[in-house]
Amino acid sequence: MAYDPDNIFAKILRGDIPCKKVYEDDHVLAFFDIAPKTPMHVLVIPKGAYVSHDDFSANATDAEIAALTRAAGKIARDLGLAESGYRLIANAGENGGQEVPHYHVHILGGAYVGPMVSRR
Ligand code: 5GP
């Protein structure tokens, strides 16, 4: 699947639409989800144009991959989630339920997140 430069997260990265930023570095932007599923719900995205975890894991540089993983851990700690616990989710493709085609990791916490999966 080719990267769509008009996806909503690409627009956030360009500053075309606003976000509530929680973290930024050379490779990563993180912001609060617009429709939080738990009291704390943050999206962590690479600045590079990667469609999904499949694309990111195959084509991102080691520096980009390390930056995203480190950032997710730091954000969770900085938001006070490390002690109480949290869940990381990366939905990929149709069966994964991915809606926005720019790779992102969800950080969910602030309350018990619930069962690991539910299937329709
Ligand atoms: P996915 O289903 O692709 O894993 O998750 C996409 C997430 O992006 C959803 O949780 C959805 O609420 C969030 N989202 C969609 N549009 C926007 C937006 O314009 N701003 C923000 N902050 N989050 C968005």
Side-chain angles (χ1 to χ4, degrees):
M1 183 184 181
Y3 184 80
D4 171 11
D6 288 327
N7 79 75
I8 198 90
F9 293 170
K11 290 179 181 172
I12 287 175
L13 280 168
R14 285 197 295 270
D16 293 347
I17 64 167
C19 71
K20 285 190 184 168
K21 185 165 79 175
V22 295
Y23 176 87
E24 183 170 14
D25 65 25
D26 287 349
H27 296 300
V28 177
L29 179 69
F31 47 89
F32 288 107
D33 195 292
I34 203 166
K37 276 65 174 185
T38 49
M40 209 61 97
H41 186 171
V42 172
L43 301 169
V44 187
I45 74 173
K47 289 185 172 177
Y50 300 103
V51 176
S52 64
H53 182 265
D54 180 56
D55 187 13
F56 187 70
S57 60
N59 299 315
T61 64
D62 288 356
E64 289 174 306
I65 292 170
L68 193 120
T69 301
R70 297 272 191 207
K74 175 175 167 44
I75 292 160
R77 279 190 300 279
D78 289 352
L79 291 174
L81 302 177
E83 191 111 334
S84 51
Y86 58 92
R87 185 170 299 165
L88 296 183
I89 296 176
N91 298 318
E94 191 178 340
N95 279 351
Q98 183 178 3
E99 290 171 5
V100 178
H102 180 111
Y103 177 52
H104 52 281
V105 174
H106 299 252
I107 302 175
L108 295 151
Y112 177 58
V113 178
M116 191 163 72
V117 291
S118 73
R119 297 179 62 205
R120 57 172 184 245

